[in-house]
Amino acid sequence: MRAPIGTFDDARPAPDALDLLTAPVAAAVRHWRDGAVAARDLVFVDTEPEWADTATFAEHYGLELLAQSANCVVVAGKRGGETTLAACVVLSATKVDVNGVVRRQLGARKASFAAMDTAVGETGMEYGGITPIGLPAGWPVLVDAAVVDLPHVLIGSGTRRGKLIVPGKALAQLPGATVLDDLGVAVPHA
Protein backbone atom coordinates (compact mmCIF):
# COMPACT_ATOMS: atom_id res chain seq x y z
CA MET A 1 0.00 0.00 0.00
CA ARG A 2 1.07 3.57 -0.60
CA ALA A 3 0.92 5.98 2.35
CA PRO A 4 -1.37 8.99 1.82
CA ILE A 5 1.55 11.34 2.58
CA GLY A 6 5.30 10.83 2.40
CA THR A 7 7.24 7.99 0.84
CA PHE A 8 7.72 4.90 2.99
CA ASP A 9 8.91 1.40 2.12
CA ASP A 10 6.40 -0.26 4.46
CA ALA A 11 2.91 1.20 4.84
CA ARG A 12 -0.16 -0.79 5.83
CA PRO A 13 -3.55 -0.29 7.44
CA ALA A 14 -3.02 -0.02 11.20
CA PRO A 15 -5.36 -3.00 11.88
CA ASP A 16 -2.82 -5.11 9.96
CA ALA A 17 0.08 -3.87 12.14
CA LEU A 18 -1.24 -4.55 15.64
CA ASP A 19 1.86 -6.59 16.51
CA LEU A 20 4.04 -3.52 15.89
CA LEU A 21 2.04 -1.23 18.19
CA THR A 22 2.15 -0.93 21.96
CA ALA A 23 -0.69 -2.72 23.77
CA PRO A 24 -2.83 0.39 24.43
CA VAL A 25 -2.52 1.63 20.84
CA ALA A 26 -3.22 -1.83 19.40
CA ALA A 27 -6.31 -2.12 21.63
CA ALA A 28 -7.57 1.29 20.50
CA VAL A 29 -7.13 0.37 16.83
CA ARG A 30 -8.73 -3.05 17.39
CA HIS A 31 -11.77 -1.44 19.07
CA TRP A 32 -11.92 1.66 16.82
CA ARG A 33 -15.52 2.72 16.27
CA ASP A 34 -15.93 3.63 12.64
CA GLY A 35 -17.45 7.08 12.42
CA ALA A 36 -16.25 9.80 10.10
CA VAL A 37 -13.03 7.77 9.85
CA ALA A 38 -12.79 3.97 9.56
CA ALA A 39 -10.05 1.95 11.28
CA ARG A 40 -8.64 0.97 7.87
CA ASP A 41 -8.02 4.68 7.19
CA LEU A 42 -5.42 4.68 9.98
CA VAL A 43 -2.10 3.83 8.33
CA PHE A 44 1.00 2.46 10.06
CA VAL A 45 4.37 3.23 8.46
CA ASP A 46 7.40 1.29 9.65
CA THR A 47 10.34 3.61 10.30
CA GLU A 48 13.72 3.60 11.99
CA PRO A 49 13.47 4.19 15.78
CA GLU A 50 16.62 6.32 15.88
CA TRP A 51 14.94 8.78 13.48
CA ALA A 52 11.73 9.17 15.53
CA ASP A 53 12.24 12.78 16.65
CA THR A 54 10.44 15.19 14.32
CA ALA A 55 13.40 17.11 12.85
CA THR A 56 15.51 13.98 12.29
CA PHE A 57 12.50 12.14 10.91
CA ALA A 58 11.88 14.89 8.35
CA GLU A 59 15.55 14.91 7.31
CA HIS A 60 15.32 11.21 6.45
CA TYR A 61 11.75 10.86 5.18
CA GLY A 62 11.12 14.28 3.60
CA LEU A 63 11.04 17.86 4.81
CA GLU A 64 7.50 18.25 3.42
CA LEU A 65 6.33 16.05 6.31
CA LEU A 66 7.09 18.84 8.80
CA ALA A 67 3.93 20.67 7.69
CA GLN A 68 1.91 17.45 8.01
CA SER A 69 3.18 16.23 11.38
CA ALA A 70 1.81 16.67 14.88
CA ASN A 71 3.30 16.04 18.29
CA CYS A 72 1.43 14.63 21.27
CA VAL A 73 2.64 15.75 24.68
CA VAL A 74 1.37 14.86 28.14
CA VAL A 75 0.63 17.72 30.51
CA ALA A 76 -0.28 17.86 34.18
CA GLY A 77 -2.82 20.38 35.45
CA LYS A 78 -2.92 20.98 39.21
CA ARG A 79 -5.59 22.54 41.37
CA GLY A 80 -6.15 22.07 45.09
CA GLY A 81 -3.95 19.01 45.47
CA GLU A 82 -5.56 17.26 42.48
CA THR A 83 -3.59 16.50 39.33
CA THR A 84 -5.22 15.97 35.95
CA LEU A 85 -3.18 14.40 33.16
CA ALA A 86 -4.11 15.32 29.61
CA ALA A 87 -2.70 14.93 26.12
CA CYS A 88 -2.16 17.88 23.79
CA VAL A 89 -1.80 17.45 20.04
CA VAL A 90 -0.30 20.34 18.07
CA LEU A 91 1.43 20.80 14.74
CA SER A 92 5.10 19.89 15.05
CA ALA A 93 6.17 23.41 14.06
CA THR A 94 4.37 24.83 17.10
CA LYS A 95 4.55 24.45 20.86
CA VAL A 96 1.73 23.80 23.31
CA ASP A 97 0.34 26.86 25.08
CA VAL A 98 0.55 25.15 28.47
CA ASN A 99 0.17 28.20 30.68
CA GLY A 100 -2.65 29.75 28.67
CA VAL A 101 -5.03 27.54 26.69
CA VAL A 102 -4.22 24.27 28.49
CA ARG A 103 -4.39 25.68 32.00
CA ARG A 104 -7.75 27.34 31.29
CA GLN A 105 -9.22 24.30 29.55
CA LEU A 106 -8.27 22.01 32.44
CA GLY A 107 -9.47 24.52 35.05
CA ALA A 108 -6.04 24.24 36.63
CA ARG A 109 -4.23 26.72 38.81
CA LYS A 110 -0.93 25.50 37.39
CA ALA A 111 -0.08 23.43 34.31
CA SER A 112 3.20 21.98 33.13
CA PHE A 113 4.59 19.21 30.98
CA ALA A 114 4.34 15.87 32.79
CA ALA A 115 7.59 14.23 33.85
CA MET A 116 8.87 11.66 31.34
CA ASP A 117 8.43 8.78 33.82
CA THR A 118 4.83 9.84 34.43
CA ALA A 119 4.05 10.23 30.71
CA VAL A 120 5.52 6.84 29.83
CA GLY A 121 4.17 5.02 32.89
CA GLU A 122 0.62 6.35 32.59
CA THR A 123 0.29 5.91 28.80
CA GLY A 124 2.08 2.59 28.38
CA MET A 125 3.89 4.12 25.40
CA GLU A 126 7.51 4.93 24.63
CA TYR A 127 8.86 8.43 25.14
CA GLY A 128 9.17 10.03 21.71
CA GLY A 129 6.33 7.90 20.35
CA ILE A 130 3.36 8.94 22.49
CA THR A 131 0.19 9.19 20.43
CA PRO A 132 -3.34 10.38 21.21
CA ILE A 133 -4.71 7.00 20.06
CA GLY A 134 -4.91 4.56 22.97
CA LEU A 135 -4.60 6.94 25.91
CA PRO A 136 -6.07 5.99 29.29
CA ALA A 137 -9.85 6.25 29.57
CA GLY A 138 -11.04 9.55 30.96
CA TRP A 139 -8.06 11.60 29.84
CA PRO A 140 -8.80 14.92 28.18
CA VAL A 141 -7.29 14.97 24.67
CA LEU A 142 -6.81 18.57 23.57
CA VAL A 143 -6.32 18.85 19.80
CA ASP A 144 -5.37 22.01 17.96
CA ALA A 145 -7.91 22.85 15.24
CA ALA A 146 -5.07 23.20 12.71
CA VAL A 147 -4.27 19.48 13.19
CA VAL A 148 -7.89 18.44 12.67
CA ASP A 149 -8.02 20.54 9.48
CA LEU A 150 -5.21 18.54 7.81
CA PRO A 151 -6.36 15.93 5.27
CA HIS A 152 -3.72 13.57 6.74
CA VAL A 153 -1.39 14.01 9.69
CA LEU A 154 1.66 12.03 10.81
CA ILE A 155 1.61 11.18 14.54
CA GLY A 156 3.36 8.77 16.89
CA SER A 157 2.43 5.10 17.03
CA GLY A 158 3.12 4.48 20.70
CA THR A 159 6.68 3.36 19.96
CA ARG A 160 9.70 5.08 18.47
CA ARG A 161 9.56 2.54 15.66
CA GLY A 162 6.86 3.55 13.24
CA LYS A 163 4.33 6.33 12.88
CA LEU A 164 0.63 6.54 12.19
CA ILE A 165 -0.83 8.58 9.36
CA VAL A 166 -4.44 9.47 10.03
CA PRO A 167 -7.02 11.88 8.64
CA GLY A 168 -6.87 14.96 10.87
CA LYS A 169 -10.59 14.64 11.60
CA ALA A 170 -9.93 11.23 13.18
CA LEU A 171 -8.38 12.98 16.16
CA ALA A 172 -11.60 14.91 16.79
CA GLN A 173 -13.48 11.61 17.22
CA LEU A 174 -11.16 10.23 19.91
CA PRO A 175 -12.65 9.63 23.37
CA GLY A 176 -12.20 12.76 25.48
CA ALA A 177 -11.22 14.92 22.49
CA THR A 178 -11.77 18.67 22.52
CA VAL A 179 -10.74 20.68 19.47
CA LEU A 180 -9.30 24.08 20.38
CA ASP A 181 -8.11 27.07 18.41
CA ASP A 182 -4.62 28.35 19.25
CA LEU A 183 -3.57 25.37 21.38
CA GLY A 184 -0.33 25.39 19.39
CA VAL A 185 1.60 28.64 19.26
CA ALA A 186 4.35 29.60 16.84
CA VAL A 187 7.88 28.85 17.94
CA PRO A 188 9.96 32.04 17.73
CA HIS A 189 12.96 31.71 15.42
CA ALA A 190 16.35 32.43 16.96
Side-chain angles (χ1 to χ4, degrees):
M1 127 176 250
R2 183 174 159 81
I5 58 173
T7 304
F8 300 94
D9 294 334
D10 184 359
R12 57 186 111 161
D16 296 343
L18 298 178
D19 58 322
L20 298 173
L21 303 171
T22 59
V25 178
V29 170
R30 189 178 302 108
H31 298 104
W32 187 267
R33 297 203 189 286
D34 292 349
V37 176
R40 299 215 50 92
D41 293 333
L42 311 177
V43 176
F44 174 82
V45 292
D46 197 5
T47 60
E48 296 295 330
E50 62 270 16
W51 298 340
D53 295 324
T54 304
T56 305
F57 188 89
E59 285 176 26
H60 290 279
Y61 293 103
L63 292 176
E64 72 282 358
L65 291 172
L66 281 175
Q68 300 167 314
S69 299
N71 292 327
C72 179
V73 298
V74 177
V75 297
K78 297 178 183 178
R79 180 175 199 92
E82 295 288 318
T83 299
T84 300
L85 294 176
C88 298
V89 184
V90 298
L91 294 174
S92 61
T94 65
K95 64 179 185 171
V96 176
D97 183 3
V98 175
N99 291 310
V101 175
V102 172
R103 186 183 55 74
R104 286 189 300 274
Q105 184 65 31
L106 296 179
R109 189 161 147 67
K110 180 182 177 190
S112 60
F113 294 104
M116 182 175 65
D117 292 348
T118 299
V120 170
E122 294 292 327
T123 63
M125 301 178 201
E126 292 179 9
Y127 188 75
I130 293 175
T131 184
I133 296 173
L135 291 169
W139 272 35
V141 180
L142 311 180
V143 185
D144 191 284
V147 175
V148 174
D149 289 343
L150 288 174
H152 290 93
V153 60
L154 182 84
I155 59 175
S157 67
T159 70
R160 290 184 63 82
R161 175 188 176 183
K163 299 281 187 185
L164 294 173
I165 299 173
V166 304
K169 63 186 176 185
L171 302 178
Q173 79 180 53
L174 292 173
T178 301
V179 178
L180 300 167
D181 290 322
D182 303 319
L183 177 63
V185 295
V187 177
H189 295 289

